[in-house]
Amino acid sequence: MPMSLPAKKAPAGGAGVRRWVFTIVVSVVALVLTLVVISLSVGSSLHRTSLQDYLPVGVTGLGKLSSSERADGNTNGTVIGEEPLQGGREPLVEQNGQGGDLNSGQPSPLTGKIESKEPDPVASGDTTSTPDEDSSNESQKAEQGTCDLYHGEWVLDSSGPLYTNNSCPIITQMQNCQGNGRPDKEYENWRWKPEQCILPRFDARKFLELMRGKTLAFVGDSVARNQMESLVCLLWQVDVPQNRGNKRMHKWLFKSTSTTIARVWSSWLVHRSTEAVGIAPKGIDKVFLDVPDETFMEFLPRFDVIVLSSGHWFAKRSAYVLNGNVVGGQLWWPRQAGKMQMNNVDAFGVSVETCLTAVATNPNFTGLAIVRTWSPDHYEGGAWNTGGSCTGKVKPLDEVVRNGFTDAMYGKQVEGFRKAVKNAGQHGSRLKLMDITEPFAFRADGHPGPYRSPDPNKKTQRGPDGKPPPQDCLHWCMPGPVDTWNEMLLETIRREFERDRS
């Protein structure tokens, strides 16, 4: 006969009932506590991507450095002045007598708004995940290199820049906006937020470790110099470099990792001469659209990463040579020569294709070539030399008004890039596009404007006749929006290096 457990009997009497009730209550409480402990232990073991792995050491909040790591230091008046081009000075902007409808100034709104704070995924109707989960997903996308860095919005970041005009001694005077008396500072505090991921705050130590023993070179005009100085300033906060440059190449060596940051001046990225060619007389700049600039091509094998940017010099008076023939010009063309075959916009596109094809197919270059797209200017009411102004701009634009010339030059640059990738065949993977044009079209507030010098008597407001003071609405204040280019640069290099290792 099978055995059975004896049934429990309720204790007789009032005391027995109380003991029975007490036992039941204690059992229920113990069961609840057990379930809570199990739930917490399971929850804590779930995988979660940590943003701390991608932010600088000492981070106390999203992109916020602890007080011991803030970029402050002693004032140093050492600056590098504007660099002339073989005896001449560069124009401030590209819009210089373009002609036609490219420089008509007719606005066409770009859909897109600037928000002053991070979007709330719950408030926007996305109830499938929590804000923490979204942040984790965004971080994963950035780490995996699947996020589009170039579509998003500018958000206000109270943590401020990673350096100041006093903590970096190489800022060119014309870009030292605070040193030149600019009264507002909010333009320093906006950060770029891609739509679907986080663009990590620049980490100087991570950059130097990533580029250990390597050389990164910027090749282009004064806007390329602007980006180079921004990068050196960011790195300066963790390792003071040694100046190893000369007239042909500016170089900064960061000894902690033997990393070199270089810059080579190349205003057109293709060959330039002042000697007479065909109908173009001696003295005028001849731009050989199908011959890469031998100056930087000579140095190319020394570089592990090269950042190429150009275009603004195609506004200067010049003649264009293709296959040995003069085919067009800018602000110059003999009337008796008939119709030009090529204007400055088309010439720019050809020069981009020539330069990038030569870089990608060079047998002695095995590095990474990054093309930084057209840097938009924000002159209103005219060009740099015809009364254009960005005076009074202190916040990012709510809507972008497109500029016909900027759109045309950007389009030709991207077209030239794509042709070069095709021309290079299997080596086309060496070329990468850093597409900053759309994000920076919003940043009319980021230029020096009238704050181009420390002269206390300089004019910074419009005169009684409404005429604006002389100003720079092309280059970028430092610190300022230009620092974001180097956040994008670091992310681009990281992705490519990790892809190569995988």
Side-chain angles (χ1 to χ4, degrees), residues 343-412:
N343 64 17
N344 61 337
V345 176
D346 292 330
F348 174 53
V350 175
S351 74
V352 171
E353 180 183 356
T354 294
C355 169
L356 299 184
T357 300
V359 168
T361 58
N362 187 299
N364 298 317
F365 175 67
T366 58
L368 176 67
I370 300 171
V371 181
R372 194 258 298 146
T373 61
W374 183 267
S375 177
D377 72 83
H378 291 90
Y379 285 88
E380 296 180 354
W384 70 277
N385 57 347
T386 58
S389 171
C390 55
T391 298
K393 297 291 189 293
V394 296
K395 292 183 178 181
L397 300 175
D398 290 327
E399 291 186 0
V400 169
V401 177
R402 287 197 181 277
N403 177 290
F405 182 68
T406 293
D407 284 353
M409 293 293 274
Y410 167 77
K412 286 295 180 181

Side-chain angles (χ1 to χ4, degrees), residues 109-410:
L110 172 68
T111 56
K113 297 285 186 178
I114 299 295
E115 300 295 338
S116 60
K117 60 181 181 180
E118 297 272 4
D120 185 344
V122 176
S124 65
D126 181 4
T127 58
T128 60
S129 59
T130 66
D132 282 345
E133 289 170 341
D134 276 359
S135 177
S136 176
N137 291 337
E138 289 178 344
S139 182
Q140 284 179 325
K141 287 180 180 178
E143 288 288 344
Q144 296 166 1
T146 58
C147 167
D148 176 3
L149 297 177
Y150 309 114
H151 292 87
E153 63 181 354
W154 291 96
V155 295
L156 196 58
D157 180 5
S158 60
S159 58
L162 292 174
Y163 66 95
T164 72
N165 65 305
N166 288 332
S167 69
C168 183
I170 68 160
I171 300 175
T172 299
Q173 187 65 61
M174 288 184 67
Q175 277 79 69
N176 187 357
C177 298
Q178 290 298 307
N180 293 337
R182 181 166 172 171
D184 61 297
K185 292 194 69 172
E186 189 173 295
Y187 67 91
E188 296 181 347
N189 299 332
W190 292 89
R191 296 200 65 235
W192 178 247
K193 172 65 174 66
E195 288 178 352
Q196 297 181 333
C197 68
I198 294 170
L199 176 62
R201 193 169 174 84
F202 189 86
D203 185 337
R205 291 187 178 90
K206 180 180 285 289
F207 182 94
L208 289 173
E209 190 58 43
L210 195 65
M211 291 294 297
R212 176 177 288 273
K214 295 181 172 61
T215 296
L216 181 149
F218 293 91
V219 177
D221 54 20
S222 62
V223 184
R225 183 208 63 223
N226 206 169
Q227 183 179 2
M228 182 276 291
E229 291 180 355
S230 164
L231 178 59
V232 173
C233 284
L234 288 164
L235 299 176
W236 198 295
Q237 309 311 307
V238 300
D239 185 9
V240 176
Q242 294 181 354
N243 187 345
R244 296 288 182 87
N246 52 46
K247 290 183 178 180
R248 299 190 68 201
M249 186 194 307
H250 287 199
K251 286 197 302 183
W252 297 95
L253 173 64
F254 293 85
K255 293 191 68 175
S256 63
T257 58
S258 297
T259 300
T260 299
I261 306 300
R263 179 175 71 90
V264 180
W265 183 269
S266 182
S267 47
W268 277 287
L269 298 184
V270 290
H271 178 66
R272 170 256 186 199
S273 172
T274 57
E275 296 301 315
V277 177
I279 62 174
K282 184 176 181 178
I284 188 172
D285 283 331
K286 319 298 183 309
V287 184
F288 290 73
L289 302 176
D290 51 355
V291 181
D293 183 0
E294 64 280 2
T295 303
F296 83 84
M297 290 297 293
E298 173 189 340
F299 297 124
L300 185 63
R302 305 184 193 180
F303 304 147
D304 299 282
V305 179
I306 183 171
V307 182
L308 298 143
S309 56
S310 69
H312 296 286
W313 278 69
F314 279 83
K316 283 179 65 70
R317 184 173 181 262
S318 53
Y320 305 131
V321 182
L322 186 63
N323 297 321
N325 300 313
V326 179
V327 295
Q330 168 65 6
L331 300 178
W332 171 87
W333 187 253
R335 184 174 301 176
Q336 66 274 18
K339 185 178 180 181
M340 288 193 305
Q341 300 175 42
M342 187 173 294
N343 64 17
N344 61 337
V345 176
D346 292 330
F348 174 53
V350 175
S351 74
V352 171
E353 180 183 356
T354 294
C355 169
L356 299 184
T357 300
V359 168
T361 58
N362 187 299
N364 298 317
F365 175 67
T366 58
L368 176 67
I370 300 171
V371 181
R372 194 258 298 146
T373 61
W374 183 267
S375 177
D377 72 83
H378 291 90
Y379 285 88
E380 296 180 354
W384 70 277
N385 57 347
T386 58
S389 171
C390 55
T391 298
K393 297 291 189 293
V394 296
K395 292 183 178 181
L397 300 175
D398 290 327
E399 291 186 0
V400 169
V401 177
R402 287 197 181 277
N403 177 290
F405 182 68
T406 293
D407 284 353
M409 293 293 274
Y410 167 77

